[in-house]
Amino acid sequence: MIKNNTLQILSFFKFNIPVFILFFSVLNEFDLNYFISTKFSFNFIFILIFYWHLKSPSQLPVTLIFFAGLFNDVLNNSLIGLSSLNYLLICVASSYIRHVTIRPNFIKDWIVFLITILLINSIDYFILFFIFSINFTIFNYFFNLLVTFIFFPIFYLLFANLLKFINRQND
Amino acid sequence: MASVRNDFVIALRSAFLKKNNKQKFSLLTLIFISLIIISLNKFNIKTTNILESGLRDVIYATSSIISYPEKKIRIFFTNINNYYKNYKNFKFDQNLLEKFNATNLVNEYLTLENNRLKNIIEESNSNENYLLSKVLIDKQSQFFSSIILNKGSKDNVELGMAVLDRGYLIGKIIEINYSTSRAILLNDINSKIPAIIEPIGIQVIISGTGYEHGIIQYSKDNYEIEDDLNIFTSGGGNVFKSGIPIGKLKKDINNADAKVEFFSDFSQLVYVNILLSKNEL
């Protein structure tokens, strides 16, 4: 009985690894959404949400993604709701790709990811600059976007292995 | 052609509206909620502000707990690094100390003389009241630079108060909750501080860049950029009291403008002082 309960708890933790990574990266002081250093940064959370919502949406519920966005905004002192909107738009793009794709293709995913983050950053820029008149360096934003795009394959591979590991454990 | 369009619409509708087994809200609903929350930022509603302040306190506390192990690891590596640096500097500092001891005596004499002269012209000395505060969260990137402190409105912290690290200005309070507050750092792109370059006495505005250094955004007069000129708060605009050290002026090799090297290292903040008197007027 005790053994069964322990296995159930372990299985629950394994299944929810993406959720834990998401909240850890949002709540941790070491910004995983503006990773590495102040000069060289990329948005880890964008890759995380895109991958898991594309490959295994049940493991990363959109309601939790929405709350992660709110937490991120509160901690980063940005517009409350903006990160949630960004994350949900990534979910829309990955959902769309999942529905129209018959044979999954990495290159296609990568290009869609680029288009999605370009769109999201444009929306961010529009909301922050034109509606709320908030000052920020566009170059840094663009650089962050570019590095996020370049780093996508590395995390795609890591997450693919993690997904395999989780599925194997659950089987 | 029509079937392609239909497929696109079906896929898009499915992406927006389809819900998983245990999911209560569709993506479209959550996107609408996000947009409503964003638009609420435009309006200053009292009830929303109280709720937001409470929510911020809870999230800061959670983040502080989650960041604890990482903070300890970072402090550990910083300590090792500092140990080697300190040992190297020790011998050099010993010689300096002897010189400073001599200078200190002169300074003491000058301070006493200054106080005596102030008494003669009946200028009151402001009683500075510092509040020691712990840095709960240190949020720094090129997009924002701020720290969350463990003192809030219950400790009489007010908006605009100066935040100091070992006597050096590092920022000011921009957000207050019941038990926490947020201070924007000098290197934040939105930070603008009226300052004075000494000993030449030029009034300037120091602005953050998002990186470790700041820049002189505005100066009233043209001046020759020289290395190692000290920069202090000018007391202009009643933002801060005058004479708080900020940093040193440095020539930028890649740029005609000078850059400001702050005295304090913003990545190493653990405890800071909040200057409770907002300004000596």
Side-chain angles (χ1 to χ4, degrees):
Chain A
M1 185 69 181
I2 295 166
K3 198 180 176 185
N4 269 346
N5 281 344
T6 320
L7 282 174
Q8 267 180 354
I9 292 165
L10 274 177
S11 156
F12 169 81
F13 276 107
K14 270 171 196 158
F15 186 78
N16 288 304
I17 285 173
V19 175
F20 292 129
I21 299 175
L22 175 69
F23 276 90
F24 180 78
S25 57
V26 166
L27 291 170
N28 204 287
E29 192 177 308
F30 187 70
D31 271 316
L32 290 175
N33 47 342
Y34 302 115
F35 215 58
I36 299 181
S37 84
T38 53
K39 283 174 190 158
F40 182 74
S41 66
F42 74 97
N43 208 316
F44 170 77
I45 296 176
F46 280 6
I47 304 173
L48 178 91
I49 292 172
F50 186 84
Y51 180 85
W52 288 97
H53 205 263
L54 178 70
K55 300 292 178 187
S56 181
S58 59
Q59 283 178 278
L60 203 59
V62 283
T63 321
L64 291 180
I65 293 174
F66 170 76
F67 282 112
L70 289 184
F71 286 10
N72 191 45
D73 288 330
V74 168
L75 284 167
N76 291 339
N77 201 26
S78 66
L79 271 187
I80 296 187
L82 189 64
S83 293
S84 296
L85 182 68
N86 289 345
Y87 298 166
L88 293 170
L89 287 175
I90 292 175
C91 292
V92 171
S94 55
S95 267
Y96 174 75
I97 282 296
R98 197 173 60 247
H99 283 113
V100 295
T101 309
I102 297 164
R103 273 190 219 152
N105 182 327
F106 164 72
I107 300 293
K108 204 196 275 178
D109 293 349
W110 199 11
I111 290 163
V112 172
F113 179 71
L114 175 69
I115 296 165
T116 312
I117 55 175
L118 276 170
L119 178 79
I120 285 167
N121 279 278
S122 310
I123 293 170
D124 270 11
Y125 184 77
F126 179 79
I127 293 174
L128 290 171
F129 195 75
F130 289 107
I131 300 179
F132 287 89
S133 309
I134 294 172
N135 191 11
F136 62 93
T137 323
I138 189 77
F139 174 77
N140 290 340
Y141 235 69
F142 187 76
F143 188 69
N144 177 278
L145 186 150
L146 189 74
V147 181
T148 309
F149 172 68
I150 292 166
F151 270 57
F152 181 79
I154 299 166
F155 285 98
Y156 191 94
L157 203 70
L158 283 172
F159 290 148
N161 285 320
L162 183 62
L163 184 62
K164 255 187 223 169
F165 168 76
I166 292 167
N167 287 341
R168 197 169 56 219
Q169 294 298 314
N170 284 329
D171 291 343
Chain B
M1 186 68 186
S3 99
V4 172
R5 199 170 58 229
N6 280 343
D7 287 348
F8 173 76
V9 172
I10 289 165
L12 206 63
R13 192 188 295 163
S14 181
F16 271 112
L17 297 174
K18 199 181 172 187
K19 289 191 264 182
N20 286 338
N21 293 338
K22 290 176 185 173
Q23 204 171 299
K24 285 187 179 170
F25 301 103
S26 68
L27 266 171
L28 192 67
T29 317
L30 291 170
I31 287 173
F32 271 122
I33 296 172
S34 302
L35 288 171
I36 291 165
I37 295 171
I38 292 171
S39 51
L40 280 175
N41 285 295
K42 263 276 187 199
F43 311 104
N44 200 11
I45 304 165
K46 203 180 173 184
T47 327
T48 326
N49 287 348
I50 294 166
L51 279 172
E52 200 183 303
S53 175
L55 183 74
R56 280 179 195 277
D57 271 345
V58 173
I59 294 173
Y60 291 158
T62 318
S63 175
S64 173
I65 293 163
I66 289 178
S67 304
Y68 187 77
E70 174 239 312
K71 211 181 273 180
K72 284 283 163 196
I73 293 167
R74 199 167 54 177
I75 289 169
F76 174 73
F77 281 109
T78 313
N79 284 345
I80 291 173
N81 204 13
N82 284 346
Y83 174 78
Y84 286 109
K85 269 187 195 169
N86 288 344
Y87 185 75
K88 224 175 172 182
N89 292 333
F90 177 68
K91 296 283 173 192
F92 179 74
D93 288 347
Q94 259 186 333
N95 291 330
L96 269 183
L97 185 67
E98 281 174 21
K99 284 179 192 169
F100 283 140
N101 278 337
T103 320
N104 197 28
L105 288 171
V106 179
N107 281 343
E108 267 179 38
Y109 169 76
L110 287 172
T111 310
L112 288 169
E113 189 183 44
N114 190 28
N115 286 339
R116 191 171 52 80
L117 292 170
K118 271 184 177 175
N119 284 334
I120 291 168
I121 59 168
E122 292 177 342
E123 185 182 303
S124 61
N125 286 323
S126 63
N127 286 324
E128 289 174 351
N129 192 5
Y130 293 103
L131 178 68
L132 185 69
S133 173
K134 192 180 177 190
V135 177
L136 288 178
I137 304 162
D138 184 355
K139 281 272 164 198
Q140 288 190 50
S141 76
Q142 74 268 54
F143 303 111
F144 54 83
S145 288
S146 62
I147 48 173
I148 311 291
L149 307 174
N150 71 340
K151 295 284 188 275
S153 56
K154 73 177 166 72
D155 307 292
N156 302 324
V157 177
E158 288 175 24
L159 283 176
M161 281 178 169
V163 182
L164 283 76
D165 172 36
R166 292 167 293 135
Y168 302 130
L169 184 74
I170 57 164
K172 71 172 176 180
I173 302 289
I174 56 158
E175 174 198 305
I176 299 171
N177 305 305
Y178 181 67
S179 60
T180 57
S181 55
R182 182 189 286 272
I184 189 172
L185 295 176
L186 296 181
N187 65 339
D188 188 285
I189 198 160
N190 290 305
S191 162
K192 310 275 181 276
I193 307 292
I196 187 163
I197 303 174
E198 293 292 8
I200 54 175
I202 301 279
Q203 302 258 10
V204 291
I205 299 283
I206 306 288
S207 171
T209 56
Y211 300 110
E212 291 90 356
H213 64 274
I215 50 163
I216 304 239
Q217 194 185 35
Y218 170 78
S219 66
K220 198 178 171 187
D221 307 307
N222 288 328
Y223 62 95
E224 181 87 5
I225 299 169
E226 282 177 48
D227 270 347
D228 295 332
L229 290 176
N230 289 323
I231 300 169
F232 300 89
T233 52
S234 65
N238 289 336
V239 182
F240 298 124
K241 77 183 202 76
S242 57
I244 308 174
I246 297 175
K248 273 181 186 291
L249 202 64
K250 290 277 175 195
K251 276 181 191 169
D252 196 345
I253 306 158
N254 304 318
N255 202 325
D257 298 329
K259 66 176 184 180
V260 178
E261 270 186 12
F262 298 114
F263 285 129
S264 181
D265 182 357
F266 300 147
S267 63
Q268 304 293 321
L269 302 172
V270 182
Y271 288 96
V272 293
N273 284 313
I274 302 171
L275 188 57
L276 286 177
S277 51
K278 271 175 82 175
N279 195 1
E280 57 171 1
L281 293 170

